[in-house]
Amino acid sequence: MTDNISRRSLLTSSMAAAGAGLMLAAPSPTPAADAEARPKSEPFRYCLNMGTIRGQNLTLVEEIETAAKAGYDGVEPWSRKIDAYVKEGGSLKDLGKRISDLGLTVDSAIAFSNWIVDDDAKRAQALEEAKRNMDALAQIGGTRIAAPPAGATDQADLDLFKAAQRYRALLELGDQMGVVPQVEVWGFSKSLARLGEAVFVAIESGHPHACLLPDVYHVYKGGSEFDGLQMVAGNSIHVFHANDYPADPPRETINDSHRVYPGDGVAPLTEIYQTIYNSGFRGTLSLELFNREYWKQDALTVAQTGLEKMRTSVQKAFA
């Protein structure tokens, strides 16, 4: 009972600090510099997270070319796919040039190092893995990487103060590599499932580049209310995973595969977009879906449909 009370107290103090304007305001990244040039109806950048077309089993180069053909501003590749590209003899320098020549930026990347776990040896190995991932990412022009609570998803008693210290260590590694790790909300996890938990870890890291990687589906799945986003400084979010979810199955049993295109579900997207905009967010919406029905379809069709529906949902919010 004492542990539960302590946990709730920590989260309450975390959100109170955010409400007082203490949420770390990480420096706004380069892609947001064109914010003034964007139309008022579309104040965000659009990015394709490669999980959206993962089931089509394309090569990394094919995924990137698909994003370019579909009309995205940027891409969010998976580190596993970058590793596979290198193992097959691919040049990271050439890949970075190809991405740039296609008019794309690498807005973020998805990785799963166990930076947050209690085991010292595993955590040390995880930092080495993160270093390799960051190095490869930097070579193709990427400056941000996801930092989800991988390895601690079944741990309900994670000490959030220790998690914050570990996030700081990851951020300090990122300083050396020129890449910013973004602490990610994972709604299905027993740790960092709620918006307040991830915010707490970011604040208590005490690092000037601490930032949050929210996700429409994960905020819902974890049980947080979207109103909580108004307590987070918008420039503490560089990338926001965009998606939607249906009314059924319910929150308790819904999973990643149920994500749908923005606007095809019941998520309050207009409220979400307006809230983060009013908080100062001018970064990237990255379409992240794991819908197995979409994976059965042509990858370019899925990418184009996703961008069209994401743009439409944004335009609706700012009409």
Side-chain angles (χ1 to χ4, degrees), residues 275-316:
T275 296
I276 59 177
Y277 177 86
N278 290 335
S279 295
F281 175 72
R282 299 294 186 275
T284 299
L285 294 181
S286 183
L287 182 72
E288 187 182 56
L289 307 171
F290 299 98
N291 191 303
R292 285 161 176 73
E293 291 303 311
Y294 300 165
W295 286 351
K296 297 176 183 177
Q297 302 170 24
D298 174 70
L300 180 57
T301 298
V302 171
Q304 289 174 328
T305 303
L307 177 57
E308 178 184 355
K309 287 181 177 288
M310 184 162 53
R311 292 187 66 185
T312 298
S313 68
V314 171
Q315 290 169 352
K316 179 182 177 183

Side-chain angles (χ1 to χ4, degrees), residues 16 42 64 80 88 126 139 149 163 209:
E42 294 182 76
I64 291 166
R80 293 170 180 170
E88 292 166 4
Q139 290 188 57
H209 294 164

Side-chain angles (χ1 to χ4, degrees), residues 56-127:
Q56 283 84 348
N57 295 315
L58 304 180
T59 66
L60 177 58
V61 171
E62 289 172 336
E63 290 178 344
I64 291 166
E65 290 177 340
T66 296
K69 290 176 183 176
Y72 287 85
D73 300 309
V75 291
E76 190 174 25
W78 287 40
S79 287
R80 293 170 180 170
K81 214 61 177 281
I82 297 174
D83 290 344
Y85 170 82
V86 172
K87 287 179 181 178
E88 292 166 4
S91 162
L92 292 174
K93 181 179 178 181
D94 290 347
L95 181 62
K97 185 178 185 304
R98 182 189 292 264
I99 292 170
S100 179
D101 288 347
L102 288 170
L104 297 168
T105 54
V106 183
D107 289 44
S108 181
I110 300 300
F112 304 97
S113 69
N114 290 212
W115 62 272
I116 200 171
V117 299
D118 288 334
D119 186 289
D120 291 344
K122 289 183 179 179
R123 201 167 60 254
Q125 291 176 355
L127 288 177

